[in-house]
Amino acid sequence: KGKGDLTARINTKTKTELALISDCINQFIQTLQNVIKDVKSGATVLTSSSDSVILKIQNASDNVTSTSAAMEELAASMETVANTTNDLHESLSIVKDATDAINEQAKIGSEQANSIKSEANAIKNDANNKKENTGAKMEELSKVLEESVKESEQVNQISELTNDILDIASQTNLLALNASIEAARAGEAGKGFAVVADEISALAANSRDTAGNIQEISSKVTAAVKTLSDNAIQVIDFINENVLADYDAFVETGEKYENTASMIDEMLGTFTDKAANLNSIMEDMSHRIESISNSVSESSEAISLSASATTDIVGEIQGINDAMDQNNDVTKQLNESTQKFEIV
C-alpha cells in the first residue's frame, strides 16, 4: 500500500536455525534496501535529467524547425537573387552591345569628320589657288585693258585726219569752183578744163561725204571703245570687290569646316574613349555579376543541402524525443514501483 519500510529488521533472541534465517533475511533486506535506495535515487536523477533533456531537445527541435524554415526562405530569396542577377547579366549584355554599336558609330563618325576635314582643306586650298590665279589674271587683264584704252585714244587721230580731209575737200571744191569760173570765161577753149573742174568738184564732194562717214564711224567706234572700257572697268571692279571676296568667303568657309571637323573629330575621339571605358566597366561588371551568380548558385545548393540536413536532424531529434518518452515511461514505472517502499 505504499507504506513499505526497508529499515525494519527481524529481531530474535533464539539461537536456533531461526537466528541464521533471520540474519539472512535481515541481510537480504539490507541489500534490498540499498538497491531500492539506489533505484529511487537514480530514478529521481534520471527523471530530472530526462525532463532537462526533453526540454533541451524540444528547444533544439524548435530551433532546428525555425532554422529549416529560415533556410527555405533564404533558399527562395537566393533563387530570387539568382534570377535578378541573371536578368541584370542579360541587361548588361544588351547595354554592352549598345555601347559596342555606339563605339562603332563613333569611329565611323570620326572617319567621316576626317574626310570632311580633308575635303574642307581641299576646298580652302582650291579657293586660295583660284583666288591667286584670278588675281594674276585680273592684273594681266587690267594691264591689257589699260594698253587697249591707250591705243583706243588713237581713234581721236582719225577725227583729226577727217578734219584735214574736209579742209582739203573744201579747198578742192573752192579750186574747182574757181576753175569752173575761169573755164566759163575761156569759152570753147575752157570746156575741157570745165570738165576736169566738175570732176574735181565731184571728187571733193565725195571726199567730204567719205570724211563725214568716217567721222560718224569714228564717233561710234570711240563711243563703243569707251563703253567697252567702262564695262571692262566695271567687270574688273566687280571681280575685285565681289569675286575675290567670294573666294575669301570660300577660304573662310573651308577653314570653318576644317575647324568644325577637327572639333567633331576631337569630340568623337573623346566619346569613343568614354564608350570604350564604359564597355570595359560593363565587362568587369558582367564578370562580377557572373561570379555573384555562381556564388549564389553554390550558396543555394549549400542552403538546400543544409535544409535537407536540418530536416533529417529534426527527424532524428523526434526519434530521440520518442526514445526519451519511452525512457520517461520506464522511469515512471520505476518510480511507481519504488514508491511502495516509503522508508528506505
Side-chain angles (χ1 to χ4, degrees):
K1 296 182 180 179
K3 300 294 183 179
D5 184 3
L6 290 177
T7 61
R9 296 292 182 269
I10 298 174
N11 294 319
T12 181
K13 294 180 180 180
T14 183
K15 293 187 181 290
T16 63
E17 287 84 358
L18 292 175
L20 179 61
I21 293 173
S22 64
D23 290 337
C24 288
I25 290 173
N26 286 333
Q27 185 178 1
F28 171 75
I29 294 172
Q30 178 67 41
T31 303
L32 181 60
Q33 180 187 8
N34 292 332
V35 172
I36 295 300
K37 187 184 291 185
D38 290 338
V39 170
K40 290 187 71 174
S41 177
T44 302
V45 173
L46 186 58
T47 299
S48 177
S49 176
S50 295
D51 292 338
S52 177
V53 170
I54 289 172
L55 181 60
K56 290 181 179 179
I57 288 174
Q58 187 63 40
N59 291 332
S61 178
D62 294 338
N63 290 331
V64 171
T65 302
S66 299
T67 302
S68 179
M71 286 291 183
E72 291 178 357
E73 292 180 358
L74 184 58
S77 299
M78 294 300 284
E79 184 177 358
T80 302
V81 172
N83 293 330
T84 303
T85 53
N86 289 330
D87 294 339
L88 184 59
H89 189 268
E90 293 178 359
S91 298
L92 282 176
S93 298
I94 295 173
V95 173
K96 184 177 180 299
D97 293 338
T99 54
D100 290 338
I102 292 172
N103 193 15
E104 186 66 24
Q105 292 297 323
K107 290 181 180 178
I108 295 173
S110 179
E111 293 176 357
Q112 291 179 350
N114 289 327
S115 177
I116 292 173
K117 181 179 178 181
S118 299
E119 292 177 358
N121 190 23
I123 291 172
K124 183 183 70 174
N125 293 331
D126 186 59
N128 281 324
N129 292 331
K130 288 183 178 180
K131 179 183 176 182
E132 292 176 358
N133 293 332
T134 303
K137 290 292 184 181
M138 290 307 301
E139 290 181 358
E140 181 179 357
L141 181 61
S142 296
K143 291 180 180 178
V144 172
L145 182 61
E146 184 178 357
E147 292 177 357
S148 297
V149 170
K150 289 181 179 179
E151 291 177 356
S152 66
E153 292 177 353
Q154 296 178 1
V155 176
N156 295 326
Q157 295 178 359
I158 296 175
S159 179
E160 295 176 357
L161 291 175
T162 53
N163 289 329
D164 293 339
I165 292 172
L166 288 175
D167 291 339
I168 293 172
S170 177
Q171 293 178 2
T172 302
N173 190 30
L174 182 61
L175 290 174
L177 180 61
N178 291 329
S180 297
I181 293 171
E182 293 297 329
R185 288 178 180 179
E188 290 295 331
K191 288 183 178 180
F193 189 71
V195 173
V196 173
D198 291 336
E199 292 295 331
I200 291 172
S201 178
L203 180 61
N206 290 330
S207 298
R208 185 171 57 253
D209 292 338
T210 301
N213 292 330
I214 291 173
Q215 281 186 335
E216 183 177 356
I217 293 171
S218 176
S219 298
K220 292 180 179 179
V221 170
T222 301
V225 170
K226 186 175 184 307
T227 301
L228 179 61
S229 176
D230 293 338
N231 291 330
I233 292 173
Q234 290 178 2
V235 170
I236 292 173
D237 292 338
F238 176 79
I239 292 174
N240 289 327
E241 293 177 0
N242 296 289
V243 176
L244 295 180
D246 290 338
Y247 281 124
D248 292 333
F250 281 137
V251 173
E252 184 179 357
T253 302
E255 291 178 351
K256 287 182 179 180
Y257 275 123
E258 186 177 8
N259 294 332
T260 303
S262 299
M263 182 177 66
I264 292 174
D265 184 44
E266 184 178 355
M267 291 173 63
L268 289 175
T270 304
F271 188 76
T272 301
D273 294 337
K274 290 184 178 180
N277 187 22
L278 180 60
N279 195 11
S280 177
I281 293 172
M282 288 296 177
E283 289 181 354
D284 184 59
M285 288 180 65
S286 179
H287 293 318
R288 291 178 183 271
I289 289 174
E290 185 176 359
S291 177
I292 291 172
S293 180
N294 293 331
S295 299
V296 168
S297 298
E298 294 175 358
S299 299
S300 297
E301 293 178 359
I303 289 170
S304 297
L305 293 175
S306 298
S308 178
T310 303
T311 303
D312 295 337
I313 291 172
V314 170
E316 292 176 359
I317 289 175
Q318 186 64 39
I320 295 172
N321 196 16
D322 294 338
M324 289 304 299
D325 288 339
Q326 294 177 359
N327 191 16
N328 282 335
D329 294 337
V330 174
T331 303
K332 185 177 181 181
Q333 291 177 359
L334 287 175
N335 282 327
E336 290 176 354
S337 297
T338 56
Q339 290 301 322
K340 294 179 179 180
F341 298 97
E342 183 179 13
I343 300 173
V344 292

